[in-house]
Amino acid sequence: MLSKKQTQQAVEIMGKMFPNAQPSLDARTPFQYMISVMLSAQATDISVNKVTPKLFRDFPDPQAMAAASKTALQADIHSIGLYRNKAKHMKAASQALLDDFNGVVPSTRAKLMQLPGVGRKTADVVLADAFGIPAFAVDTHVTRVTKRLRMVPQKATVLEIEQRMMKLLPEDLWVTAHHRMIYFGRYHCLARAPKCEQCPLLSICADGQQRLGLKNK
Ligand code: SF4
Protein backbone atom coordinates (compact mmCIF):
# COMPACT_ATOMS: atom_id res chain seq x y z
CA MET A 1 0.00 0.00 0.00
CA LEU A 2 1.18 3.51 -0.72
CA SER A 3 2.18 5.66 2.22
CA LYS A 4 0.56 8.99 2.98
CA LYS A 5 3.57 10.78 1.49
CA GLN A 6 3.54 8.67 -1.69
CA THR A 7 -0.21 9.22 -2.09
CA GLN A 8 0.17 12.96 -1.80
CA GLN A 9 3.07 12.92 -4.27
CA ALA A 10 0.98 10.88 -6.71
CA VAL A 11 -1.85 13.40 -6.49
CA GLU A 12 0.67 16.19 -7.05
CA ILE A 13 1.94 14.47 -10.21
CA MET A 14 -1.63 14.02 -11.44
CA GLY A 15 -2.03 17.78 -10.93
CA LYS A 16 0.98 18.42 -13.16
CA MET A 17 -0.47 16.10 -15.81
CA PHE A 18 -3.92 17.70 -15.62
CA PRO A 19 -3.54 21.28 -14.36
CA ASN A 20 -7.04 22.17 -15.57
CA ALA A 21 -8.85 19.33 -13.82
CA GLN A 22 -12.10 20.83 -12.59
CA PRO A 23 -15.85 20.17 -12.50
CA SER A 24 -17.21 19.70 -16.01
CA LEU A 25 -20.95 19.93 -15.40
CA ASP A 26 -22.64 23.18 -16.47
CA ALA A 27 -25.05 24.59 -13.89
CA ARG A 28 -25.85 28.00 -12.44
CA THR A 29 -27.36 27.22 -9.05
CA PRO A 30 -26.90 24.54 -6.37
CA PHE A 31 -30.28 23.12 -7.42
CA GLN A 32 -29.24 22.85 -11.06
CA TYR A 33 -25.90 21.41 -10.01
CA MET A 34 -27.60 18.77 -7.89
CA ILE A 35 -29.88 17.81 -10.80
CA SER A 36 -26.89 17.64 -13.16
CA VAL A 37 -25.03 15.32 -10.80
CA MET A 38 -28.11 13.10 -10.50
CA LEU A 39 -28.27 12.92 -14.30
CA SER A 40 -24.57 12.07 -14.57
CA ALA A 41 -24.94 8.64 -12.92
CA GLN A 42 -23.86 6.11 -15.56
CA ALA A 43 -23.72 8.91 -18.14
CA THR A 44 -20.94 11.22 -19.31
CA ASP A 45 -20.80 14.85 -18.21
CA ILE A 46 -20.75 15.81 -21.90
CA SER A 47 -24.07 14.05 -22.52
CA VAL A 48 -25.56 15.74 -19.43
CA ASN A 49 -24.38 19.18 -20.56
CA LYS A 50 -26.17 18.64 -23.86
CA VAL A 51 -29.59 18.24 -22.25
CA THR A 52 -29.42 20.61 -19.28
CA PRO A 53 -29.66 23.96 -21.15
CA LYS A 54 -33.21 23.09 -22.32
CA LEU A 55 -34.07 21.27 -19.10
CA PHE A 56 -33.13 24.27 -16.96
CA ARG A 57 -34.86 26.69 -19.33
CA ASP A 58 -38.05 24.66 -18.99
CA PHE A 59 -37.67 23.85 -15.27
CA PRO A 60 -35.15 26.20 -13.64
CA ASP A 61 -35.98 25.64 -9.98
CA PRO A 62 -37.58 23.14 -7.54
CA GLN A 63 -41.00 24.78 -7.93
CA ALA A 64 -41.05 24.29 -11.69
CA MET A 65 -39.56 20.80 -11.57
CA ALA A 66 -41.91 19.56 -8.84
CA ALA A 67 -44.91 20.84 -10.84
CA ALA A 68 -43.69 19.28 -14.12
CA SER A 69 -45.20 16.09 -15.49
CA LYS A 70 -42.92 13.07 -15.63
CA THR A 71 -43.53 12.94 -19.37
CA ALA A 72 -42.28 16.49 -19.84
CA LEU A 73 -39.18 15.79 -17.75
CA GLN A 74 -38.50 12.55 -19.60
CA ALA A 75 -38.80 14.37 -22.94
CA ASP A 76 -36.00 16.76 -21.96
CA ILE A 77 -33.62 14.05 -20.74
CA HIS A 78 -34.51 11.05 -22.89
CA SER A 79 -31.01 10.84 -24.44
CA ILE A 80 -29.54 10.12 -20.98
CA GLY A 81 -29.34 6.57 -19.65
CA LEU A 82 -31.92 5.54 -17.04
CA TYR A 83 -33.93 8.65 -17.94
CA ARG A 84 -37.26 7.35 -16.66
CA ASN A 85 -35.92 6.67 -13.20
CA LYS A 86 -33.95 9.90 -13.19
CA ALA A 87 -37.03 11.94 -14.15
CA LYS A 88 -38.91 10.32 -11.28
CA HIS A 89 -36.14 11.18 -8.82
CA MET A 90 -35.74 14.74 -10.10
CA LYS A 91 -39.43 15.42 -9.56
CA ALA A 92 -39.50 13.73 -6.15
CA ALA A 93 -36.31 15.47 -4.98
CA SER A 94 -37.73 18.84 -6.06
CA GLN A 95 -40.93 18.16 -4.13
CA ALA A 96 -38.91 17.10 -1.06
CA LEU A 97 -36.89 20.33 -1.29
CA LEU A 98 -40.14 22.31 -1.22
CA ASP A 99 -41.69 20.22 1.56
CA ASP A 100 -38.70 19.90 3.88
CA PHE A 101 -36.13 22.58 3.03
CA ASN A 102 -38.12 25.66 1.91
CA GLY A 103 -37.02 25.02 -1.65
CA VAL A 104 -33.33 25.49 -0.79
CA VAL A 105 -30.72 22.80 -1.44
CA PRO A 106 -29.23 21.89 1.97
CA SER A 107 -25.49 22.06 2.46
CA THR A 108 -24.91 19.03 4.68
CA ARG A 109 -24.39 15.47 3.50
CA ALA A 110 -27.00 14.04 5.87
CA LYS A 111 -29.72 16.41 4.66
CA LEU A 112 -28.81 16.03 0.99
CA MET A 113 -29.04 12.26 1.35
CA GLN A 114 -32.62 12.60 2.60
CA LEU A 115 -33.62 13.66 -0.92
CA PRO A 116 -34.89 10.95 -3.30
CA GLY A 117 -32.22 9.89 -5.77
CA VAL A 118 -29.37 11.55 -3.85
CA GLY A 119 -26.77 9.04 -2.67
CA ARG A 120 -23.49 9.65 -0.91
CA LYS A 121 -21.49 10.34 -4.08
CA THR A 122 -24.02 12.84 -5.40
CA ALA A 123 -24.15 14.54 -1.99
CA ASP A 124 -20.35 14.75 -1.81
CA VAL A 125 -20.06 16.23 -5.31
CA VAL A 126 -22.75 18.83 -4.53
CA LEU A 127 -21.06 19.75 -1.24
CA ALA A 128 -17.67 20.11 -2.91
CA ASP A 129 -18.54 21.77 -6.19
CA ALA A 130 -21.73 23.72 -5.44
CA PHE A 131 -20.88 24.83 -1.89
CA GLY A 132 -17.09 24.59 -1.72
CA ILE A 133 -17.32 22.35 1.36
CA PRO A 134 -14.45 19.83 1.59
CA ALA A 135 -15.60 16.35 0.59
CA PHE A 136 -14.02 13.47 -1.30
CA ALA A 137 -16.49 11.94 -3.73
CA VAL A 138 -15.74 8.43 -4.99
CA ASP A 139 -16.85 7.52 -8.50
CA THR A 140 -15.81 4.77 -10.89
CA HIS A 141 -12.57 6.55 -11.93
CA VAL A 142 -11.52 7.29 -8.35
CA THR A 143 -12.26 3.70 -7.36
CA ARG A 144 -10.15 2.28 -10.19
CA VAL A 145 -7.22 4.67 -9.73
CA THR A 146 -6.99 4.36 -5.94
CA LYS A 147 -7.11 0.56 -6.16
CA ARG A 148 -4.60 0.23 -8.99
CA LEU A 149 -2.18 2.50 -7.17
CA ARG A 150 -2.77 0.61 -3.91
CA MET A 151 -3.84 3.74 -2.11
CA VAL A 152 -6.66 1.61 -0.71
CA PRO A 153 -7.16 -2.15 -0.24
CA GLN A 154 -8.41 -4.02 -3.32
CA LYS A 155 -11.65 -4.98 -1.61
CA ALA A 156 -12.37 -1.53 -0.17
CA THR A 157 -15.97 -0.38 -0.49
CA VAL A 158 -16.81 3.08 -1.82
CA LEU A 159 -17.27 4.30 1.74
CA GLU A 160 -13.94 2.77 2.84
CA ILE A 161 -12.18 4.43 -0.11
CA GLU A 162 -13.65 7.79 0.83
CA GLN A 163 -12.66 7.43 4.47
CA ARG A 164 -9.12 6.23 3.74
CA MET A 165 -8.45 8.95 1.15
CA MET A 166 -9.67 11.59 3.59
CA LYS A 167 -7.07 10.30 6.04
CA LEU A 168 -4.27 10.15 3.48
CA LEU A 169 -4.87 13.64 2.07
CA PRO A 170 -5.06 17.00 3.81
CA GLU A 171 -8.58 18.42 3.87
CA ASP A 172 -7.73 21.29 1.55
CA LEU A 173 -6.73 18.78 -1.13
CA TRP A 174 -9.87 16.59 -1.06
CA VAL A 175 -11.84 18.38 -3.76
CA THR A 176 -8.82 19.01 -6.00
CA ALA A 177 -7.61 15.41 -5.63
CA HIS A 178 -11.06 14.13 -6.61
CA HIS A 179 -11.00 16.15 -9.84
CA ARG A 180 -7.41 15.21 -10.63
CA MET A 181 -8.16 11.52 -10.16
CA ILE A 182 -11.19 11.73 -12.43
CA TYR A 183 -9.10 13.28 -15.21
CA PHE A 184 -6.27 10.83 -14.56
CA GLY A 185 -8.71 7.91 -14.78
CA ARG A 186 -10.61 9.31 -17.75
CA TYR A 187 -7.63 10.19 -19.94
CA HIS A 188 -4.62 8.22 -18.69
CA CYS A 189 -5.32 5.29 -16.35
CA LEU A 190 -8.21 4.13 -18.53
CA ALA A 191 -10.32 1.16 -17.50
CA ARG A 192 -9.41 -1.11 -20.42
CA ALA A 193 -6.13 0.29 -21.69
CA PRO A 194 -4.18 2.21 -19.04
CA LYS A 195 -1.15 4.02 -20.44
CA CYS A 196 1.32 2.32 -18.12
CA GLU A 197 4.35 2.55 -20.44
CA GLN A 198 4.24 6.32 -20.33
CA CYS A 199 2.95 6.70 -16.77
CA PRO A 200 4.96 8.90 -14.40
CA LEU A 201 3.58 6.84 -11.52
CA LEU A 202 4.80 3.48 -12.81
CA SER A 203 7.64 3.28 -10.27
CA ILE A 204 5.11 3.27 -7.40
CA CYS A 205 2.27 1.43 -9.14
CA ALA A 206 2.09 -2.29 -8.41
CA ASP A 207 -0.72 -2.76 -10.92
CA GLY A 208 1.15 -1.08 -13.74
CA GLN A 209 4.32 -3.03 -12.99
CA GLN A 210 2.37 -6.30 -13.11
CA ARG A 211 0.74 -5.34 -16.40
CA LEU A 212 4.13 -4.67 -17.95
CA GLY A 213 5.63 -7.85 -16.51
CA LEU A 214 8.02 -5.91 -14.27
CA LYS A 215 6.73 -7.60 -11.15
CA ASN A 216 5.37 -11.06 -10.33
CA LYS A 217 1.62 -11.26 -9.81
FE1 SF4 B 1 -2.61 3.41 -14.04
FE2 SF4 B 1 -0.71 2.05 -15.29
FE3 SF4 B 1 -0.15 4.44 -14.25
FE4 SF4 B 1 -0.59 2.36 -12.67
S1 SF4 B 1 1.12 2.60 -14.11
S2 SF4 B 1 -1.43 4.42 -12.42
S3 SF4 B 1 -2.18 1.22 -13.80
S4 SF4 B 1 -1.58 3.99 -15.94
Side-chain angles (χ1 to χ4, degrees):
M1 295 271 282
L2 289 197
S3 66
K4 190 182 254 199
K5 191 174 167 195
Q6 285 174 314
T7 301
Q8 293 179 11
Q9 284 171 342
V11 170
E12 204 172 304
I13 289 169
M14 289 176 201
K16 288 193 178 130
M17 294 171 75
F18 300 101
N20 299 319
Q22 57 192 359
S24 45
L25 289 170
D26 299 332
R28 290 191 182 159
T29 64
F31 171 72
Q32 293 182 357
Y33 202 80
M34 182 187 85
I35 296 295
S36 293
V37 180
M38 290 167 77
L39 285 171
S40 72
Q42 296 182 48
T44 65
D45 290 358
I46 292 172
S47 68
V48 172
N49 288 340
K50 278 187 189 155
V51 303
T52 47
K54 178 166 182 352
L55 176 70
F56 295 147
R57 259 198 317 276
D58 294 344
F59 313 106
D61 49 38
Q63 288 81 0
M65 205 166 275
S69 71
K70 278 184 199 156
T71 316
L73 290 174
Q74 285 178 7
D76 275 1
I77 64 167
H78 73 277
S79 60
I80 302 283
L82 309 174
Y83 71 96
R84 288 192 183 86
N85 218 26
K86 286 175 182 174
K88 189 174 87 181
H89 283 146
M90 282 158 43
K91 183 174 167 65
S94 298
Q95 189 61 55
L97 280 176
L98 297 177
D99 292 344
D100 303 330
F101 299 103
N102 294 319
V104 178
V105 176
S107 56
T108 68
R109 184 188 294 118
K111 288 181 179 170
L112 280 164
M113 287 177 68
Q114 288 174 22
L115 299 168
V118 177
R120 192 175 182 95
K121 192 209 91 176
T122 298
D124 280 342
V125 174
V126 171
L127 285 180
D129 295 336
F131 293 111
I133 294 171
F136 188 85
V138 178
D139 74 347
T140 178
H141 296 299
V142 173
T143 297
R144 184 174 68 255
V145 168
T146 53
K147 287 191 176 179
R148 281 182 175 167
L149 278 161
R150 310 291 192 263
M151 291 172 174
V152 302
Q154 294 306 290
K155 290 188 179 166
T157 62
V158 166
L159 181 57
E160 286 165 349
I161 295 172
E162 178 184 324
Q163 289 171 339
R164 176 153 176 85
M165 292 308 293
M166 289 190 336
K167 276 192 197 143
L168 291 172
L169 299 171
E171 189 175 300
D172 61 2
L173 202 56
W174 291 351
V175 177
T176 309
H178 161 80
H179 291 303
R180 287 177 183 173
M181 284 188 178
I182 288 178
Y183 272 63
F184 185 76
R186 199 183 274 162
Y187 301 112
H188 182 85
C189 189
L190 291 86
R192 290 197 186 156
K195 302 175 182 176
C196 303
E197 288 95 342
Q198 61 219 64
C199 184
L201 299 179
L202 181 59
S203 65
I204 57 165
C205 180
D207 195 286
Q209 290 169 18
Q210 282 171 3
R211 283 168 192 276
L212 297 182
L214 305 174
K215 190 176 173 183
N216 292 334
K217 295 197 177 180

Short mmCIF file of all heavy atoms in Angstrom, two decimals, residues 148-149 184 188-189 194-196 199 201-202 205 207-209 211, ligand 1:
data_model
loop_
_atom_site.label_atom_id
_atom_site.label_comp_id
_atom_site.label_asym_id
_atom_site.label_seq_id
_atom_site.Cartn_x
_atom_site.Cartn_y
_atom_site.Cartn_z
N ARG A 148 -5.77 0.61 -8.20
CA ARG A 148 -4.60 0.23 -8.99
C ARG A 148 -3.31 0.73 -8.34
O ARG A 148 -2.29 0.05 -8.35
CB ARG A 148 -4.72 0.81 -10.41
CG ARG A 148 -5.65 0.00 -11.29
CD ARG A 148 -5.69 0.58 -12.69
NE ARG A 148 -6.49 -0.27 -13.57
CZ ARG A 148 -6.91 0.10 -14.77
NH1 ARG A 148 -6.63 1.31 -15.23
NH2 ARG A 148 -7.62 -0.72 -15.51
N LEU A 149 -3.38 1.92 -7.79
CA LEU A 149 -2.18 2.50 -7.17
C LEU A 149 -1.97 2.00 -5.74
O LEU A 149 -1.00 2.40 -5.09
CB LEU A 149 -2.26 4.02 -7.19
CG LEU A 149 -1.84 4.66 -8.52
CD1 LEU A 149 -2.37 6.07 -8.65
CD2 LEU A 149 -0.32 4.65 -8.65
N PHE A 184 -7.31 11.85 -14.42
CA PHE A 184 -6.27 10.83 -14.56
C PHE A 184 -6.89 9.50 -15.01
O PHE A 184 -6.37 8.81 -15.88
CB PHE A 184 -5.54 10.66 -13.22
CG PHE A 184 -4.38 9.74 -13.25
CD1 PHE A 184 -3.17 10.12 -13.82
CD2 PHE A 184 -4.46 8.45 -12.71
CE1 PHE A 184 -2.07 9.25 -13.85
CE2 PHE A 184 -3.39 7.57 -12.73
CZ PHE A 184 -2.19 7.98 -13.31
N HIS A 188 -5.94 8.87 -18.76
CA HIS A 188 -4.62 8.22 -18.69
C HIS A 188 -4.72 6.78 -18.14
O HIS A 188 -4.36 5.83 -18.82
CB HIS A 188 -3.67 9.06 -17.82
CG HIS A 188 -2.30 8.47 -17.75
ND1 HIS A 188 -1.33 8.72 -18.69
CD2 HIS A 188 -1.74 7.62 -16.85
CE1 HIS A 188 -0.23 8.06 -18.38
NE2 HIS A 188 -0.46 7.38 -17.27
N CYS A 189 -5.21 6.63 -16.94
CA CYS A 189 -5.32 5.29 -16.35
C CYS A 189 -6.70 4.73 -16.71
O CYS A 189 -7.55 4.51 -15.86
CB CYS A 189 -5.13 5.38 -14.83
SG CYS A 189 -4.99 3.77 -14.03
N PRO A 194 -4.96 1.17 -19.74
CA PRO A 194 -4.18 2.21 -19.04
C PRO A 194 -2.84 2.43 -19.73
O PRO A 194 -2.26 1.49 -20.28
CB PRO A 194 -4.00 1.62 -17.64
CG PRO A 194 -4.17 0.15 -17.80
CD PRO A 194 -5.14 -0.03 -18.93
N LYS A 195 -2.39 3.68 -19.72
CA LYS A 195 -1.15 4.02 -20.44
C LYS A 195 0.06 3.84 -19.54
O LYS A 195 0.78 4.80 -19.22
CB LYS A 195 -1.24 5.45 -20.96
CG LYS A 195 -2.45 5.66 -21.89
CD LYS A 195 -2.59 7.12 -22.28
CE LYS A 195 -3.81 7.30 -23.17
NZ LYS A 195 -4.07 8.71 -23.50
N CYS A 196 0.28 2.59 -19.12
CA CYS A 196 1.32 2.32 -18.12
C CYS A 196 2.72 2.64 -18.64
O CYS A 196 3.55 3.14 -17.87
CB CYS A 196 1.25 0.86 -17.67
SG CYS A 196 -0.35 0.40 -17.00
N CYS A 199 3.54 6.15 -18.00
CA CYS A 199 2.95 6.70 -16.77
C CYS A 199 4.04 7.17 -15.80
O CYS A 199 4.91 6.40 -15.42
CB CYS A 199 2.09 5.64 -16.08
SG CYS A 199 1.26 6.29 -14.62
N LEU A 201 3.77 7.50 -12.82
CA LEU A 201 3.58 6.84 -11.52
C LEU A 201 3.97 5.36 -11.54
O LEU A 201 3.79 4.65 -10.55
CB LEU A 201 2.11 6.98 -11.08
CG LEU A 201 1.62 8.42 -10.90
CD1 LEU A 201 0.16 8.43 -10.48
CD2 LEU A 201 2.44 9.14 -9.86
N LEU A 202 4.50 4.91 -12.67
CA LEU A 202 4.80 3.48 -12.81
C LEU A 202 5.72 2.96 -11.69
O LEU A 202 5.53 1.85 -11.19
CB LEU A 202 5.43 3.21 -14.18
CG LEU A 202 5.79 1.76 -14.51
CD1 LEU A 202 4.56 0.85 -14.44
CD2 LEU A 202 6.43 1.65 -15.89
N CYS A 205 3.56 2.07 -8.84
CA CYS A 205 2.27 1.43 -9.14
C CYS A 205 2.42 -0.08 -9.33
O CYS A 205 2.91 -0.55 -10.37
CB CYS A 205 1.63 2.04 -10.38
SG CYS A 205 0.04 1.29 -10.77
N ASP A 207 0.14 -2.28 -9.84
CA ASP A 207 -0.72 -2.76 -10.92
C ASP A 207 -0.06 -2.56 -12.27
O ASP A 207 -0.01 -3.49 -13.11
CB ASP A 207 -2.07 -2.02 -10.85
CG ASP A 207 -3.13 -2.70 -11.69
OD1 ASP A 207 -3.06 -2.59 -12.93
OD2 ASP A 207 -4.01 -3.36 -11.12
N GLY A 208 0.48 -1.38 -12.48
CA GLY A 208 1.15 -1.08 -13.74
C GLY A 208 2.36 -1.97 -13.95
O GLY A 208 2.61 -2.46 -15.06
N GLN A 209 3.12 -2.19 -12.88
CA GLN A 209 4.32 -3.03 -12.99
C GLN A 209 3.94 -4.47 -13.33
O GLN A 209 4.61 -5.13 -14.13
CB GLN A 209 5.10 -2.97 -11.68
CG GLN A 209 5.76 -1.61 -11.45
CD GLN A 209 6.30 -1.45 -10.04
OE1 GLN A 209 6.50 -2.43 -9.33
NE2 GLN A 209 6.52 -0.22 -9.63
N ARG A 211 1.22 -5.35 -15.01
CA ARG A 211 0.74 -5.34 -16.40
C ARG A 211 1.91 -5.39 -17.39
O ARG A 211 1.82 -6.02 -18.43
CB ARG A 211 -0.06 -4.06 -16.67
CG ARG A 211 -1.44 -4.06 -16.12
CD ARG A 211 -2.05 -2.67 -16.17
NE ARG A 211 -3.26 -2.67 -15.39
CZ ARG A 211 -4.45 -3.06 -15.84
NH1 ARG A 211 -4.57 -3.46 -17.09
NH2 ARG A 211 -5.50 -3.06 -15.06
FE1 SF4 B 1 -2.61 3.41 -14.04
FE2 SF4 B 1 -0.71 2.05 -15.29
FE3 SF4 B 1 -0.15 4.44 -14.25
FE4 SF4 B 1 -0.59 2.36 -12.67
S1 SF4 B 1 1.12 2.60 -14.11
S2 SF4 B 1 -1.43 4.42 -12.42
S3 SF4 B 1 -2.18 1.22 -13.80
S4 SF4 B 1 -1.58 3.99 -15.94
#
